[in-house]
Amino acid sequence: MSESNWRDQELSYEQVLDKHNGDISKFTVLKIDVTRRGYVYSEEAAKVIDPNKHHVEPNDFLGSTKTTNSSPFPIGLVMRDGTTICSEPGLSTIVRQRDPYVIELIDNKLYITDQGRVYEEVEIWERPDFYDKVTSNGTPMWQIASARPQRITIAPGTKCHFWDKPGNGCKFCALFSGHRCDEGEFRDEKYFQDVTETVAEALKQKGRYASFHMTSGSTLSGREIFDDEVELYIKTLKAAGKAIHSDKFPTKLVASAFSKRQLERMRDETGMTGYVTDLEVLNKDLFGWICPGKTEFIGYDEWKKRLYDAVDVFGRGQVNCGIVAGVETAQPYGFADEDKALEIVLKEANEIAKHGVTFSECVWTTLPKSYFSKQKTPSLDYYVRLALGLAEARRRNGIQENIDDYRRCGNHPNTDLARIEKW
Ligand code: SF4
């Protein structure tokens, strides 16, 4: 349940726009707030949802949270300027501390509304054409890949082995939560053939996909830690590459912090061009508390060093550090003061950006099944100042955003801001 007086305690969407007075797109601010607060469909708007036309995922593609909501919930929205909003189905009434926005049907169009105020028209992401198809092995292609309006996603490994030790996963995380403690997973040649055929089928939808995205939970096994994870990605990238017919293709791999040897192998053996590995929170002490598994096996300083090594391998603008924006305010050990949090986090961001790394900022939401499900996320104004600060850190250090902008990913407020930059 939301706190009844939360609106009195923080600036509203309109007040935040006024405060920043043209420094940030109103679409980006609305995207942040809708993500932060969540949204629901009104009864009339829900009648518009059509799983044959809209992108409703039949399964937990990333092993994420499935709610008890029995009605289909599309996985994303797009606003009229192309800004996308990624959805977590039905979360708003369960864990958020603020009232969700409401999608209303007005004159046969969908709009984001709040307390009767109408903000922006939205459309629901379209169902990918390949979703209805089946591979020659008889596998439904929706089991092999998912998609956003601008990219294909494949998740070859659906477990994160930091969870093998209870409590060792990241405290904000609900990804792969349905699979946290499963036994090992087997990907055979049939799977890689399915990947090739699914990517080939997806690419028949002309003009839709600008990038290929791949991610999984962390796999710790191998001669060197993460060797088995690297091997799985190489096989999957090679399988996708067979359908793409190019030595290199726009890729974003979100993965563990690989050693330089592992990164060079990936560069040399696959078509991969972009790499993201997530420090999650830009503070060493909080990293130790929030990401105990990453701390135990790699550590904050080494994770950072591996990001810098990745710039040597893939180049400036091709390496991003994922962060869960706002999680630095989690209690009891996070910053209680938003100004202090911003000062510390942006100082560290600037230091990291000096090395050619930029940021993939996700808005922290308190997902069910995560350890932080009962936490309170920061104010809208905090998220806006953080997005502006991260974008400025990138600009100040002369880094272009090549792998995670609105056209190739669409999830991150700070990289959405890169769309109007001149170089
Ligand atoms: S590394 Fe952390 S954030 Fe990533 S899947 Fe594992 S627990 Fe979740």
Side-chain angles (χ1 to χ4, degrees):
M1 295 293 289
S2 60
E3 293 173 8
S4 57
N5 62 344
W6 70 268
R7 291 178 194 270
D8 301 332
Q9 297 169 10
E10 52 190 57
L11 297 182
S12 67
Y13 168 64
E14 288 89 348
Q15 288 169 323
V16 170
L17 282 184
D18 279 351
K19 178 179 171 185
H20 294 281
N21 193 25
D23 287 344
I24 185 166
S25 154
K26 66 176 184 175
F27 297 103
T28 307
V29 178
L30 190 58
K31 166 205 188 105
I32 294 171
D33 211 23
V34 170
T35 309
R36 185 183 75 115
R37 286 171 47 188
Y39 65 91
V40 293
Y41 288 85
S42 71
E43 209 172 307
E44 284 306 302
K47 289 179 187 162
V48 170
I49 299 169
D50 178 359
N52 293 314
K53 179 177 161 201
H54 298 130
H55 193 166
V56 177
E57 285 196 334
N59 68 338
D60 275 352
F61 192 74
L62 293 180
S64 185
T65 312
K66 203 75 170 177
T67 68
T68 52
N69 227 346
S70 56
S71 58
F73 197 99
I75 65 167
L77 300 170
V78 59
M79 287 189 264
R80 63 193 161 98
D81 74 326
T83 296
T84 46
I85 300 172
C86 302
S87 306
E88 278 290 340
L91 297 181
S92 44
T93 52
I94 303 173
V95 288
R96 292 181 201 272
Q97 306 82 9
R98 298 148 177 121
D99 305 313
Y101 281 86
V102 180
I103 308 296
E104 295 275 10
L105 187 68
I106 304 170
D107 295 335
N108 284 322
K109 293 179 176 173
L110 296 173
Y111 287 86
I112 298 171
T113 74
D114 186 29
Q115 294 188 308
R117 289 192 187 197
V118 179
Y119 290 110
E120 286 296 331
E121 184 184 345
V122 282
E123 292 181 4
I124 301 171
W125 292 359
E126 287 179 6
R127 181 182 172 87
D129 285 356
F130 69 82
Y131 251 42
D132 297 324
K133 305 286 169 44
V134 175
T135 70
S136 60
N137 292 314
T139 311
M141 290 189 180
W142 59 259
Q143 290 181 3
I144 300 299
S146 182
R148 287 187 185 164
Q150 62 280 71
R151 74 177 198 196
I152 308 165
T153 293
I154 291 191
T158 57
K159 303 171 190 66
C160 177
H161 290 276
F162 285 129
W163 291 109
D164 290 351
K165 183 169 157 186
N168 235 22
C170 304
K171 289 188 167 58
F172 53 82
C173 180
L175 285 181
F176 311 106
S177 54
H179 311 270
R180 280 175 184 171
C181 299
D182 286 4
E183 291 304 311
E185 180 175 51
F186 182 63
R187 294 299 195 192
D188 57 9
E189 287 313 311
K190 178 170 164 281
Y191 172 76
F192 298 113
Q193 187 183 354
D194 286 345
V195 168
T196 304
E197 290 181 23
T198 302
V199 173
E201 188 62 38
L203 292 178
K204 290 179 185 168
Q205 195 171 358
K206 296 292 179 203
R208 175 153 179 172
Y209 301 113
S211 76
F212 178 81
H213 168 231
M214 192 166 64
T215 191
S216 295
S218 288
T219 298
L220 313 180
S221 55
R223 193 172 55 84
E224 178 185 345
I225 186 170
F226 306 135
D227 263 356
D228 288 348
E229 186 179 331
V230 168
E231 194 64 36
L232 180 61
Y233 288 139
I234 288 175
K235 284 184 177 163
T236 311
L237 278 161
K238 282 183 171 170
K242 279 187 196 169
I244 296 172
H245 307 300
S246 175
D247 288 346
K248 293 287 169 190
F249 48 91
T251 326
K252 180 175 88 163
L253 172 68
V254 185
S256 301
F258 298 144
S259 67
K260 202 162 188 181
R261 178 190 69 79
Q262 291 167 331
L263 292 168
E264 286 169 341
R265 214 186 135 205
M266 297 214 68
R267 178 198 61 196
D268 296 343
E269 295 184 30
T270 74
M272 175 181 157
T273 53
Y275 173 64
V276 181
T277 192
D278 304 342
L279 275 171
E280 318 288 8
V281 57
L282 299 183
N283 179 268
K284 186 173 176 175
D285 292 341
L286 292 177
F287 181 86
W289 172 50
I290 295 171
C291 309
K294 290 185 172 192
T295 302
E296 178 182 340
F297 288 94
I298 300 292
Y300 186 83
D301 294 332
E302 176 64 19
W303 204 287
K304 246 172 43 171
K305 179 187 168 297
R306 291 178 179 215
L307 275 161
Y308 304 161
D309 287 346
V311 175
D312 293 342
V313 176
F314 292 103
R316 291 169 72 84
Q318 304 301 130
V319 178
N320 284 7
C321 171
I323 60 168
V324 180
V327 79
E328 55 277 1
T329 64
Q331 294 302 304
Y333 301 114
F335 302 105
D337 180 78
E338 290 188 354
D339 289 335
K340 188 72 187 164
L342 213 56
E343 180 192 327
I344 303 276
V345 166
L346 289 179
K347 185 168 177 230
E348 179 72 342
N350 277 297
E351 173 57 32
I352 292 170
K354 277 185 198 159
H355 295 260
V357 175
T358 183
F359 301 94
S360 307
E361 170 211 15
C362 296
V363 172
W364 175 36
T365 55
T366 48
L367 300 169
K369 297 188 185 173
S370 72
Y371 278 79
F372 279 170
S373 63
K374 303 262 174 20
Q375 291 275 341
K376 182 173 183 180
T377 54
S379 69
L380 173 61
D381 188 46
Y382 179 81
Y383 282 110
V384 166
R385 288 191 291 159
L386 183 56
L388 285 167
L390 293 169
E392 180 55 26
R394 175 174 44 75
R395 274 185 223 114
R396 188 180 301 135
N397 289 285
I399 313 168
Q400 290 195 31
E401 179 49 68
N402 293 331
I403 58 173
D404 246 336
D405 62 346
Y406 87 105
R407 184 64 185 97
R408 296 178 186 83
C409 175
N411 191 20
H412 315 293
N414 67 315
T415 57
D416 279 0
L417 298 177
R419 66 192 290 187
I420 55 167
E421 285 167 6
K422 289 185 190 153
W423 289 86

